[in-house]
Amino acid sequence: MVGLRTLVVQCTDWSITAAGVSPQVPAAVFHANRVTATSPAAREHGVALHQRRREAQSRCPSLLVIAGDPARDARAFEPIVASLDALTPRVEITRPGEVAFPTRGPSRFFGGDEGLVSRTHAIVSEVLGERGRARVGVADGIFAATLAAEIARWTAVVPVGGTPAFLAPLPAATLDRPELVDVLGRLGVGTLGALAALPERDLLARFGKPGQAAWRLAAGLDERPPALGPPPADLTVSTVLDPPADTVAPAAFLARGLAEELHDRLWRRGSACTRVVIGAETEHGEHLERVWRAEGILTAAAIADRLRWQLDGWLQGSARHRPTSGISRLWLTPEEIVPAGGPQLGFWGSDIATVDRASRAVARVQGLLGMESVAVPEWRGSRDPATQVVLVSAAAVDLTAARPEAHRDRVVGPWPGRLPTPSPAWVHGDPPGAEVVDAAGDVVLVSGRGALSAPPWRVSVAGGPWAEVLHWAGPWPLEEWGWDTARRRRRARLQVVTTDGQARLFALELGRWRVEATYD
Amino acid sequence: MLLGMGSEAVPSTLAELTERIRPVTLTAERRLPVLPAFATLLPGAGLRRGATVSVGSAVGVGGGTSLALALVAEASQTGCWVAAVGLASLGFVAADEMGVALERLVVVTAPTRDAWGGVVAALIDGFDLIILPADRVGARPAEARRLAARARERGVVLLLVGVGWPEGADLQLEVSRARWEGLDNGHGHLRARKVRIIRGGRGEAASPRRADFWLPGPDGKVQEVALAPVRSLRSLR
């Protein structure tokens, strides 16, 4: 079954355009401190995707930094989608900046694929004006059509039946599956053509469902075998808004519940949806509908996001596109449903809903106490328990992504002088002063050769009462930054257990004792 | 009677019936898992969701913080998110050694006196376990009660480190004795700690219990100390 002939429109660098920045300005959009989109001018300076902000700014000091905002991208995209309504009623939004629709009807009407493509390009370019550029591609199946659009300068039409030949020379990396592509590369399968030449059964046997899906894409077929029929009608969920909403906030409040209801209803049947129709009815009886599709499965949170973005696009658009009255009813209809598989779980096996919940709570606390108030631990190579794990502001990391920095195995290499395990449960950021004296009442000192002047007898922390030493070990000399006179530190550490059962780590530096850590 | 009903009413009736005959959630399912070592110490071998748990140590003994970390370790490993508020000098290396998954740990700086309630309430909505110093929040009994009620409703475990919580916590754990091993006048290093933990509380935890644990043991693991083992059978002959 050859993929459904599809047209894909891509607005290049959409996040930049949506932010209202001209392509001539070096600008980049950031999410969690990483570049997610760049303007052509920024690329000329060497700014690339996934770079850290500091690196991007060092490549291009005049770089305009824009905070990522999917809602803004979606809102700005609505007029473009609306302009395509003149061509076909079935426009599907893949993501803000990219739409697709089947060409069968409109192609015949506009005199073939070429005619449709140039017409589509003209319409989108007119709406975009000077703000950005659009590319259009047509091929059998959405995967090939997207690639055709990506490769095209303006437009590209892959002839009917020519999709496998068009895909064959492309690198396998165009499949958005890094793990699979990596393995295939090591097996000598470097292009989509080489992948398509393998027997489908073998890929299914060796790599399971993802392998089969990759083969289908490479062979120019649809990713999944087509559904046997449209999903049953009773899966639509809807809600009535009373009073009707003409701002986003009250409607967005309902979005979450509606999305979860749909997701639950599908989940109970063992299904999930990959394409959803978002519909709304206004007080004046206007009927608004948009189709959103996803490459994978739409989770409850993903559906809620799309619903909110769409409402944003409808209600905050220009006066010409806006409905004339408030929205009184909202509904969600799954258009394409598939058996629910495993991909609901995050990369490292956690439930996405829990991460979402935690990130929302983090955002709220950041609102209450300031952005820097919430931090997450990350491993660093170091000798000090205080700097072996450092706290990094949660605003700079993406909690929903896998974070290798949070794993101990990230630290490689030996760090001689590191404390033996178990590690102290309290590490004092501002170590309190202490006194360590010997039986004669003199302060215990450590010689240049690392020998104690006398065994410690009793200790006092921060001017507190004396406590007698029960056991002790040390001194462990520690010299850091020996090559840098300004940062050079010499310390000697002592583990001490006092008669009351408390264990502490004392450190002598420049003739003064401090409590570095407590084994609470 | 049934035959008289419209056919479209049947599916909804069935759905209703399914809801009604569904078994109620068992108490055991509403527990967060703990390390196997704590199975006999804690009622139901877990931390009941929605409970307040106070963890402390007798004056001058220490060990409360390590115990708190050990309590959250298993739940954190199995996917629960943990928030620590006002505990910036926590030893994260020690937390990792105890088994806490650092990628699901979030640290919040100590809020000002007035903001504590709001911050903890916001965290209760998003996290499964919240560790906080008992004396800071407990300064206002009304606030403490409100937070405990909210945690109970949302099924979140509040872990209070230290003393000062005005209400009696649902589960109270105290380290009453601690002995370190491994030091020998100048030689060796801290290796293992034997602690005695006394359990008290309300409801299912009301009957007191105590047990000895390695926190941690020489192998770095938390384990219940077995009863004094028989050293050798030969001596009995």
Side-chain angles (χ1 to χ4, degrees), chain A residues 331-344:
Chain A
W331 66 90
L332 291 172
T333 309
E335 244 207 357
E336 185 179 71
I337 60 176
V338 293
Q344 300 275 335

Side-chain angles (χ1 to χ4, degrees), chain B residues 32-192:
Chain B
L32 298 177
V34 289
L35 295 174
F38 294 129
T40 51
L41 179 72
L42 302 182
L47 293 170
R48 186 168 57 78
R49 280 185 168 273
T52 48
V53 181
S54 76
V55 180
S57 57
V59 180
V61 173
T65 313
S66 298
L67 178 57
L69 292 174
L71 279 175
V72 305
E74 187 71 15
S76 149
Q77 284 293 346
T78 52
C80 288
W81 280 75
V82 181
V85 195
L87 297 166
S89 38
L90 206 59
F92 299 104
V93 184
D96 182 85
E97 283 165 9
M98 280 289 173
V100 179
L102 294 190
E103 75 258 34
R104 281 186 289 281
L105 175 67
V106 168
V107 184
V108 181
T109 52
T112 55
R113 215 180 124 85
D114 296 331
W116 267 100
V119 168
V120 177
L123 290 172
I124 285 175
D125 287 346
F127 286 82
D128 306 292
L129 272 152
I130 301 169
I131 313 179
L132 24 130
D135 53 337
R136 302 294 285 277
V137 203
R140 297 176 176 185
E143 184 108 83
R145 264 196 301 278
R146 203 169 55 76
L147 290 174
R150 196 181 172 106
R152 194 173 312 126
E153 185 195 327
R154 301 283 156 98
V156 174
V157 175
L158 286 187
L159 208 68
L160 308 150
V161 180
V163 288
W165 189 251
E167 300 278 290
D170 297 324
L171 176 66
Q172 295 160 11
L173 298 172
E174 193 192 64
V175 179
S176 67
R177 234 164 46 192
R179 205 183 75 225
W180 278 99
E181 294 187 359
L183 293 190
D184 178 22
N185 292 330
H187 304 287
H189 63 82
L190 295 175
R191 274 177 210 285

Side-chain angles (χ1 to χ4, degrees), chain A residues 319-366:
Chain A
R320 218 179 79 209
H321 299 291
R322 246 159 83 171
T324 54
S325 59
I327 289 175
S328 57
R329 203 165 79 86
L330 271 177
W331 66 90
L332 291 172
T333 309
E335 244 207 357
E336 185 179 71
I337 60 176
V338 293
Q344 300 275 335
L345 295 182
F347 183 68
W348 26 276
S350 154
D351 191 357
I352 283 184
T354 4
V355 186
D356 269 7
R357 231 159 28 95
S359 344
R360 273 201 299 278
V362 164
R364 222 158 38 243
V365 173
Q366 283 169 336

Side-chain angles (χ1 to χ4, degrees), chain A residues 155-171:
Chain A
T155 63
V157 176
V158 178
V160 178
T163 301
F166 162 72
L167 291 174
L170 298 176

Side-chain angles (χ1 to χ4, degrees), chain A residues 264-405:
Chain A
D264 286 353
R265 206 176 276 198
L266 290 168
W267 190 251
R268 247 177 275 151
R269 314 171 18 120
S271 323
C273 87
T274 54
R275 204 157 58 181
V276 65
V277 185
I278 297 171
E281 205 173 70
T282 66
E283 264 184 304
H284 291 175
E286 287 156 296
H287 201 81
L288 308 166
E289 250 185 19
R290 280 275 173 261
V291 186
W292 284 80
R293 63 172 292 149
E295 272 154 33
I297 279 169
L298 285 163
T299 60
I303 299 172
D305 276 347
R306 278 155 184 77
L307 178 50
R308 212 176 48 239
W309 296 343
Q310 191 54 58
L311 288 169
D312 225 12
W314 280 329
L315 294 172
Q316 303 204 335
S318 65
R320 218 179 79 209
H321 299 291
R322 246 159 83 171
T324 54
S325 59
I327 289 175
S328 57
R329 203 165 79 86
L330 271 177
W331 66 90
L332 291 172
T333 309
E335 244 207 357
E336 185 179 71
I337 60 176
V338 293
Q344 300 275 335
L345 295 182
F347 183 68
W348 26 276
S350 154
D351 191 357
I352 283 184
T354 4
V355 186
D356 269 7
R357 231 159 28 95
S359 344
R360 273 201 299 278
V362 164
R364 222 158 38 243
V365 173
Q366 283 169 336
L368 287 170
L369 298 177
M371 290 309 275
E372 297 307 308
S373 62
V374 188
V376 292
E378 281 187 5
W379 284 91
R380 297 277 190 275
S382 166
R383 295 182 172 80
D384 251 341
T387 47
Q388 247 171 303
V389 173
V390 297
L391 289 176
V392 179
S393 168
V397 299
D398 185 359
L399 290 183
T400 57
R403 287 188 296 125
E405 295 87 359

Side-chain angles (χ1 to χ4, degrees), chain A residues 387-465:
Chain A
T387 47
Q388 247 171 303
V389 173
V390 297
L391 289 176
V392 179
S393 168
V397 299
D398 185 359
L399 290 183
T400 57
R403 287 188 296 125
E405 295 87 359
H407 289 273
R408 175 189 281 269
D409 47 20
R410 181 196 138 89
V411 179
V412 290
W415 282 89
R418 217 164 50 176
L419 283 179
T421 57
S423 300
W426 283 106
V427 180
H428 306 292
D430 182 21
E435 296 205 51
V436 180
V437 297
D438 58 19
D442 296 328
V443 174
V444 174
L445 292 172
V446 179
S447 74
R449 284 168 170 265
L452 278 187
S453 59
W457 175 51
R458 55 180 197 172
V459 297
S460 151
V461 178

Side-chain angles (χ1 to χ4, degrees), chain A residues 96-311:
Chain A
E98 191 175 310
V99 295
F101 56 84
T103 62
R104 213 172 83 181
S107 214
R108 212 174 305 162
F109 189 80
F110 291 104
D113 289 340
E114 295 287 348
L116 177 65
V117 160
S118 54
R119 177 121 193 159
T120 311
H121 192 263
I123 290 177
V124 176
S125 298
E126 196 196 319
V127 182
L128 273 175
E130 288 299 301
R131 296 183 296 144
R133 225 159 59 76
R135 299 182 294 209
V136 184
V138 174
D140 300 333
I142 188 164
F143 173 70
T146 310
L147 286 177
E150 257 165 38
I151 290 165
R153 192 171 148 71
W154 306 108
T155 63
V157 176
V158 178
V160 178
T163 301
F166 162 72
L167 291 174
L170 298 176
T174 45
L175 294 165
D176 195 15
R177 292 194 174 78
E179 324 84 38
L180 183 63
V181 169
D182 186 43
V183 177
L184 288 174
R186 277 183 274 146
L187 293 172
V189 179
T191 61
L192 294 179
L195 176 60
L198 296 170
E200 180 183 8
R201 299 168 38 156
D202 291 358
L203 276 154
L204 179 60
R206 175 64 185 80
F207 298 109
K209 276 268 158 75
Q212 189 193 24
W215 182 86
R216 291 187 65 91
L217 289 178
L221 308 179
D222 273 327
E223 182 171 348
R224 282 174 288 269
L228 291 174
D234 65 344
L235 285 173
T236 300
V237 293
S238 70
T239 180
V240 174
L241 280 75
D242 189 23
D246 44 14
T247 56
V248 179
F253 182 72
L254 291 167
R256 179 104 207 150
L258 203 60
E260 263 163 19
E261 193 185 332
L262 175 68
H263 186 262
D264 286 353
R265 206 176 276 198
L266 290 168
W267 190 251
R268 247 177 275 151
R269 314 171 18 120
S271 323
C273 87
T274 54
R275 204 157 58 181
V276 65
V277 185
I278 297 171
E281 205 173 70
T282 66
E283 264 184 304
H284 291 175
E286 287 156 296
H287 201 81
L288 308 166
E289 250 185 19
R290 280 275 173 261
V291 186
W292 284 80
R293 63 172 292 149
E295 272 154 33
I297 279 169
L298 285 163
T299 60
I303 299 172
D305 276 347
R306 278 155 184 77
L307 178 50
R308 212 176 48 239
W309 296 343
Q310 191 54 58
L311 288 169

